[in-house]
Amino acid sequence: MILDGRKISEQIIADLAVRVAAMTADGTRPPHLVAVLVGNEGASETYVAAKMRACERCGFTSTTLRLDVDVTEEHLLQLIESLNSDTAVDGLIVQLPLPPHIDEHHVIAAIDPDKDVDGFHPTNVGRLSIGVPGFVGATPKGIMTLIEHYGIATDGHHAVVVGRSNIVGRPVATLLSLKAAPGNCTVTLCHSGTPDLARFTREADILVTAVGNPGFITADMVKPGAVVFDVGITRVPDPTSRTGYRLRGDVDYDAVEPMCAAITPVPGGVGPMTIATLMQNTLQAYLRRGAVECNETPDG
Ligand code: NDP
């Protein structure tokens, strides 16, 4: 089975658009997401543009603030401070990666946790790890939404996550291990220091891979009947494509797809879910801030 992230994300966005239209019919302002983009790196530009397009489709207001690649950390922190106190801003994201002279941790920690719709702030990471409500990162939450949507069994199953980044691997491992439904998995978190990786991946009922190495997970590393979430997105040169490249996941898709129970394609799997979930988080921030008088609940 193909886990069709594109289709599910379209449904989520259409649903959000209906809700926002109803909430703003009386002239109440819509949710507002601000993205700060430092420099003009191609992939970051593409991701921010996709997020802004999704905002438009949901009926949100969106703003992209572009800063020169040489901007000082101090200037960036001042901008974040002013956006934190701007009552017309509900969600605030700073597109990563940042140039090397800027400390990513300082920047993330400066964002108001109640506007941190990326779920990267230590307060939200802490909330996630103890299982209390907060903003959950868009990619990990998007994977959980796919699990829920397709009714994939997790309780008591063995989930193996390859990659331990703060934005994907670690929060996915946390979510899958929570005493919750979906969740309650036995989780193994693998990384570049894991000897004999295949020994672990072959044991996985649910395999999540977030490495960034195209074709890295081969068929002999996957248990027949496993459910595979391929988070990796790498641009590989392709002269036949209009852009000169195409996107590839971590998984050797053609070999793995026939022997697994379900798999996310790249593109069209986890990527679109990330964008749709960011939109859900932005609406959640808007409702939490009480920007609108309505019957909607923040986590609804
Ligand atoms: P990072 O580079 O931060 O993390 C990669 C992880 O892979 C690290 O934990 C690293 O281990 C691990 N790793 C590297 N080599 C191996 C190996 N040989 N064996 C086992 N583990 C290994 O990347 P991100 O988590 O930010 O992103 C991962 C991929 O997911 C990228 O392709 C990125 O583009 C994509 N991505 C996709 C998103 C989506 O919406 N679909 C969203 C975010 C990212 P170690 O910690 O030891 O270095």
Side-chain angles (χ1 to χ4, degrees):
M1 175 173 54
I2 311 291
L3 303 174
D4 191 344
R6 190 165 283 145
K7 190 173 106 193
I8 312 306
S9 69
E10 290 291 320
Q11 287 169 2
I12 291 171
I13 286 174
D15 178 50
L16 288 174
V18 170
R19 289 174 67 182
V20 170
M23 284 187 283
T24 57
D26 64 356
T28 304
R29 77 161 178 85
H32 182 191
L33 177 67
V34 173
V36 178
L37 180 58
V38 180
N40 52 5
E41 200 265 319
S44 292
E45 290 267 2
T46 307
Y47 292 139
V48 169
K51 291 168 188 175
M52 298 297 110
R53 274 198 306 276
C55 280
E56 199 179 323
R57 294 182 55 207
C58 292
F60 297 175
T61 306
S62 65
T63 306
T64 304
L65 298 174
R66 293 169 177 279
L67 298 177
D68 193 82
V69 70
D70 295 328
V71 68
T72 62
E73 183 175 307
E74 192 189 356
H75 183 91
L76 177 56
L77 293 175
Q78 280 168 1
L79 175 65
I80 291 171
E81 198 45 57
S82 70
L83 294 165
N84 282 344
S85 50
D86 186 341
T87 54
V89 174
D90 303 301
L92 169 57
I93 59 174
V94 177
Q95 185 65 37
L96 302 178
L98 291 166
H101 66 280
I102 297 178
D103 187 323
E104 200 171 284
H105 295 296
H106 290 169
V107 171
I108 291 169
I111 296 172
D112 178 349
D114 292 335
K115 296 190 178 186
D116 169 42
V117 288
D118 264 337
F120 294 164
H121 190 283
T123 297
N124 285 317
V125 175
R127 287 170 176 156
L128 170 62
S129 71
I130 59 169
V132 301
F135 289 112
V136 177
T139 304
K141 191 170 156 185
I143 292 172
M144 299 310 283
T145 304
L146 280 177
I147 287 177
E148 224 169 348
H149 182 90
Y150 282 98
I152 292 163
T154 56
D155 193 358
H157 288 239
H158 185 196
V160 174
V161 180
V162 188
R164 60 177 158 189
S165 73
N166 290 338
I167 64 167
V168 190
R170 204 173 285 279
V172 169
T174 302
L175 281 166
L176 288 166
S177 71
L178 287 178
K179 197 165 189 171
N184 217 27
C185 291
T186 302
V187 177
T188 303
L189 182 56
C190 301
H191 44 75
S192 68
T194 303
D196 192 5
L197 178 67
R199 180 164 69 91
F200 297 97
T201 58
R202 272 198 294 266
E203 292 291 315
D205 303 310
I206 297 171
L207 177 62
V208 182
T209 170
V211 173
N213 186 350
F216 174 69
I217 301 289
T218 48
D220 61 323
M221 296 171 79
V222 179
K223 176 165 138 180
V227 177
V228 181
F229 292 92
D230 189 353
V231 183
I233 301 179
T234 307
R235 288 180 174 190
V236 295
D238 181 359
T240 66
S241 144
R242 184 180 48 81
T243 53
Y245 66 84
R246 68 190 169 94
L247 301 180
R248 276 202 69 196
D250 288 345
V251 177
D252 179 358
Y253 185 86
D254 290 342
V256 170
E257 189 273 324
M259 42 93 61
C260 66
I263 186 167
T264 56
V266 178
V270 176
M273 292 303 294
T274 298
I275 305 253
T277 308
L278 179 68
M279 299 299 113
Q280 288 179 316
N281 283 356
T282 303
L283 180 64
Q284 188 185 329
Y286 171 79
L287 295 171
R288 282 216 177 136
R289 295 183 63 248
V292 61
E293 291 288 327
C294 67
N295 294 326
E296 297 254 359
T297 57
D299 301 306

